[in-house]
Amino acid sequence: MKSRNQSDGFMTGFFIGLMKTDGHVESRQAIFSSTSRHLAEDFSHTLKRLGMKYRKSTYKDKRENRKLRYTVYIEKLSVDRCHNILNTTGAMVQW
């Protein structure tokens, strides 16, 4: 994202788009994962702007020719907000 001074509507749409492409939501957890560090950082910034708590981790697959994976876990207390934005119930959603 070139500028982080986007409107709340843009940030909400950005969040929805990323969750629908590289996200996974269940009743008590939500996860976004990417091989792009910049995309994971932009997603983290979006969560912060939307008032959600999160934690980040990286994972290097031991198999040959694998990229580092950046994962953002939306904390349990923020998952209800996540469901509200995505208009989902507590059921598992994987697009």
Side-chain angles (χ1 to χ4, degrees):
M1 197 176 325
K2 287 211 181 231
S3 171
R4 292 190 173 188
N5 296 323
Q6 303 293 340
S7 70
D8 288 344
F10 175 87
M11 298 303 270
T12 300
F14 185 69
F15 169 77
I16 292 168
L18 289 179
M19 285 301 292
K20 286 187 174 186
T21 55
D22 294 319
H24 176 84
V25 183
E26 291 184 15
S27 61
R28 290 192 268 170
Q29 72 174 357
I31 300 168
F32 171 79
S33 190
S34 176
T35 57
S36 168
R37 181 179 60 82
H38 294 293
L39 195 55
E41 288 297 324
D42 285 344
F43 185 75
S44 297
H45 175 74
T46 301
L47 293 177
K48 186 175 182 178
R49 280 272 309 269
L50 295 174
M52 291 189 220
K53 302 284 185 197
Y54 61 91
R55 63 184 173 83
K56 302 183 281 187
S57 74
T58 56
Y59 173 73
K60 175 66 174 161
D61 196 321
K62 292 179 173 74
R63 295 176 287 177
E64 254 184 79
N65 300 319
R66 300 294 174 158
K67 291 185 176 184
L68 192 61
R69 178 158 298 279
Y70 302 90
T71 304
V72 181
Y73 299 90
I74 298 173
E75 303 224 347
K76 193 178 347 180
L77 296 174
S78 296
V79 171
D80 286 341
R81 176 137 170 75
C82 181
H83 280 295
N84 288 340
I85 291 172
L86 295 170
N87 198 25
T88 58
T89 61
M92 185 175 99
V93 178
Q94 191 168 9
W95 289 278

